[in-house]
Amino acid sequence: MASPPSSPENGDQPEFAPEDSPEKPAPSPHHKMSPRNRALFFVTAWLIVLLPFLFWWNTWFGRQLPDKQISEYLQDEKHPRHIQHALIQLGERMGRHDSRAARWYPDMIRLALHPVEEVRNTDAWVMGQDTSGPGFHEALLKMLQDQSPMVRGNAALSLVRFGDPSGRPHIVALLQPARIVAPSAGRVTDTDKVGTAIHQGGLIAKLQVDRSAVASQNGQQTTEVRSPISGRIRTISVAAGTTVVAGSEIASVDPGDEQVWEALRALYLVGQPDDLSAIRPYQRELPEISGRLRQQALLTEKAIRDRAAH
């Protein structure tokens, strides 16, 4: 066993390290950032904060637009979101019965034929805010033939404000799951999961399509299959690796609460007994059906039965 170190006794001096032993190096001074690097650091940090804010500011539809900017946005074909922003601002003015909005009514009628679905969809909703708008009723009736189910649905909802129930079948369709089909034949490479919440235009699945007639690296092309409505994925009918033909069902999507809410309110006014089978599923006490929807579904059925009785 090793003995403990001896302590100095009888005046013996403790031993010290030899003078020529290397000394512990002094700590190096802190590196100071140059003014140029410091400026670059602050500019970068500022941009990290500023750029997301600017993006949000430019895409936020709640930002108030002056009259001049509304006119410019309605003509901005390169930025459809600018057109939507202006339309929403006008819809708010129309809801306040602001007569100054009437100067843009011809633009709204023109936009009913816009090539971008989101613009037509917003336009159909906004035209329902003023039933005295010249030409609005006729434009909405034509929009019932639109290729987009959402545009048809919004046009039908707006027509109810005019006392016109001619879009009722499209309103009933808003209560039903959207059927998502393959746009062309191909092999499914990826799908989302059942129960996933999804926005309008959200990705449902990917298809690998044979495009041998098209010049590409491997003769194949990926096609994205997207949801036409906001809601929740109800079913996925195919698995990854499955080969599908054009028009075959890939998935179905249950409509979101706001879409169902507006449809039930409209059917409260124009619904018929034939519509009850589409309304009753929303009367069930299920976790995915809110109390607000359940109550409105019950009120809508009662209103339909009362009309039928009289």
Side-chain angles (χ1 to χ4, degrees), residues 13 35 107 117 176 185 220 226 231 264:
Q13 298 298 320
D107 288 304
E117 176 186 348
Q176 298 166 344
Q220 292 181 330
R226 297 183 175 274
L264 288 173

Side-chain angles (χ1 to χ4, degrees), residues 21-66:
S21 63
E23 297 182 357
K24 185 177 181 181
S28 60
H30 294 292
H31 176 69
K32 292 184 178 180
M33 188 181 295
S34 68
R36 179 176 178 275
N37 288 342
R38 188 181 298 112
L40 287 174
F41 173 79
F42 284 115
V43 168
T44 302
W46 176 247
L47 289 176
I48 290 173
V49 175
L50 180 63
L51 290 179
F53 172 78
L54 290 176
F55 176 80
W56 168 79
W57 179 251
N58 283 303
T59 57
W60 178 47
F61 290 155
R63 178 167 59 91
Q64 295 298 313
L65 300 175

Side-chain angles (χ1 to χ4, degrees), residues 140-157:
L140 289 167
L141 284 171
K142 292 178 181 178
M143 295 178 88
L144 292 179
Q145 308 302 319
D146 196 279
Q147 62 182 357
S148 164
M150 291 305 297
V151 174
R152 296 194 299 268
N154 268 340
L157 291 171

Side-chain angles (χ1 to χ4, degrees), residues 214-263:
V214 180
S216 62
Q217 291 183 352
N218 55 10
Q220 292 181 330
Q221 175 180 310
T222 298
T223 297
E224 294 179 340
V225 182
R226 297 183 175 274
S227 174
I229 65 171
S230 296
R232 193 172 298 276
I233 298 177
R234 180 175 188 167
T235 61
I236 295 290
S237 306
V238 295
T242 304
T243 300
V244 296
V245 298
S248 57
E249 182 171 319
I250 289 181
S252 63
V253 177
D254 282 328
D257 278 13
E258 287 308 311
Q259 178 174 319
V260 173
W261 170 255
E262 295 296 342

